[in-house]
Amino acid sequence: MEIIRVENLRYVYKSSSGDKVALDDINFSINDGEFVAIIGTNGSGKSTLAKHFNALLLPTTGKIFIDGLDTSDEKNLWAVRENVGMVFQNPDSEIVAAIVEDDVAFGLENLGIEPNKIRERVDLALDAVNMSDYKKFAPSKLSGGQKQRIAIAGVIAMGTKIIVFDEPTAMLDPMGRREIMQMVKRLHTQGKTIIYITHFMEEAAEAQRVFVMESGQIIRDDTPREIFTDVKEMRRLGFDIPVAAELADRLRKKNFKLPPKILTADELVEALK
Ligand code: ADP
Ligand code: MG
């Protein structure tokens, strides 16, 4: 069932130095429970698109529907925000409270939920991100990866159906990145709709569907296999190519007869056997 629909979305940043078209006629729909990754070069419009899902930005023209609700209609604002959680790149800019559990509770307090219900949901959410032991900690004492897990706990506590991640691992070390990715995959397995913006191709390869953005447009919407085995296009865009796909491409150029669209090391080994 469709949970997000974007129709002819255009977004223009207006400033004294001139207008900037950041999104240019975007159209797509996403089904309940899908895991979509968005990749694209810097300035291609990924963050601008992300901010449209929970009505932080409203279309200059065109429409976005979240679970059938038009985000531009002011009376839908809270219902939209109850459906869409956001996790951003910089963990420091997301922390609002001086103690971890208060930070996770913040969104719930704003919804006017009873205190004991809030505590229950906060405990469950902290448990889900393996951060229960840090409940009484000051967020400032945590690592970047732990702060991102707290931000994710905040979204889990809210119980939104859709979670939008805007480069959540960009400031983390490889270990922190892996932890976040595991959490994202688990949330997807539990039925959440995931929109995951990243410049790490191996992360995008975990999604069911990949959007490639360029100059404010979605230029590709396909499976990771189709996208990442298109070595020529990946190179043109300046993206990393998965190692196995790149090796397969080079071997084909040396006249190795390999099946098309090899993506993983296992597939390459099997083909060469
Ligand atoms: P991405 O997240 O893919 O790097 P953004 O959505 O941040 O891209 O930006 C898309 C385009 O809009 C870029 O050209 C960027 O410079 C411009 N832009 C982003 N934010 C603003 C803003 N607040 N005012 C004016 N232009 C902006
Ligand atoms: Mg961005």
Side-chain angles (χ1 to χ4, degrees):
M1 221 196 61
E2 178 183 270
I3 193 160
I4 299 173
R5 182 149 46 98
V6 174
E7 286 178 358
N8 308 110
L9 167 62
R10 210 176 133 78
Y11 186 80
V12 183
Y13 287 104
K14 297 200 166 35
S15 78
S16 48
S17 55
D19 290 357
K20 167 78 202 171
V21 179
L23 297 176
D24 189 8
D25 200 30
I26 303 247
N27 289 280
F28 60 83
S29 98
I30 292 175
N31 283 335
D32 199 6
E34 261 193 294
F35 178 3
V36 178
I38 304 179
I39 59 174
T41 45
N42 277 340
S44 56
K46 304 180 298 297
S47 295
T48 305
L49 178 59
K51 289 175 187 150
H52 277 79
F53 293 117
N54 76 337
L56 275 176
L57 292 177
L58 299 176
T60 303
T61 58
K63 295 236 171 265
I64 299 203
F65 298 92
I66 300 292
D67 218 0
L69 300 169
D70 181 348
T71 63
S72 303
D73 189 338
E74 213 172 313
K75 71 175 193 307
N76 291 335
L77 184 64
W78 290 108
V80 165
R81 299 238 165 119
E82 280 179 66
N83 271 322
V84 185
M86 307 281 287
V87 178
F88 294 102
Q89 179 178 126
N90 183 349
D92 291 314
S93 65
E94 293 169 276
I95 305 277
V96 292
I99 299 173
V100 164
E101 62 177 348
D102 294 347
D103 196 79
V104 177
F106 183 76
L108 294 174
E109 278 157 6
N110 285 343
L111 291 180
I113 293 169
E114 286 172 50
N116 54 344
K117 277 267 177 311
I118 291 183
R119 270 191 296 275
E120 206 174 289
R121 277 163 77 163
V122 167
D123 287 347
L124 282 171
L126 281 171
D127 193 39
V129 299
N130 305 325
M131 287 294 287
S132 299
D133 294 347
Y134 296 87
K135 198 165 142 171
K136 304 286 180 192
F137 270 54
S140 57
K141 296 270 190 294
L142 304 178
S143 70
Q146 289 173 323
K147 284 179 194 163
Q148 281 303 54
R149 278 148 66 188
I150 297 305
I152 295 172
V155 170
I156 293 173
M158 295 282 287
T160 61
K161 291 186 203 166
I162 302 164
I163 310 180
V164 179
F165 295 86
D166 189 355
E167 301 200 30
T169 58
M171 302 176 90
L172 307 184
D173 57 22
M175 163 109 137
R177 289 213 295 272
R178 271 197 301 275
E179 282 170 5
I180 298 303
M181 208 54 215
Q182 264 166 19
M183 245 139 245
V184 169
K185 287 196 277 186
R186 195 188 308 153
L187 288 165
H188 172 236
T189 312
Q190 290 167 353
K192 303 282 188 189
T193 303
I194 306 284
I195 297 174
Y196 191 89
I197 298 172
T198 184
H199 65 262
F200 295 108
M201 301 303 134
E202 75 273 15
E203 293 182 351
E206 303 272 3
Q208 296 169 307
R209 187 175 167 194
V210 179
F211 293 174
V212 181
M213 291 193 70
E214 189 179 29
S215 312
Q217 295 183 319
I218 293 178
I219 58 162
R220 297 281 303 264
D221 169 0
D222 216 327
T223 60
R225 179 176 303 279
E226 292 298 325
I227 303 268
F228 292 118
T229 57
D230 189 346
V231 172
K232 220 167 129 197
E233 175 79 343
M234 288 288 104
R235 287 223 178 87
R236 184 185 73 78
L237 291 161
F239 294 147
D240 295 334
I241 298 151
V243 179
E246 163 131 50
L247 267 176
D249 183 59
R250 288 171 62 175
L251 288 166
R252 280 187 204 102
K253 286 189 179 129
K254 298 272 182 214
N255 295 319
F256 276 76
K257 296 272 171 279
L258 296 174
K261 303 190 202 307
I262 288 178
L263 186 59
T264 67
D266 286 346
E267 290 165 7
L268 181 57
V269 168
E270 196 54 38
L272 286 172
K273 227 164 48 181

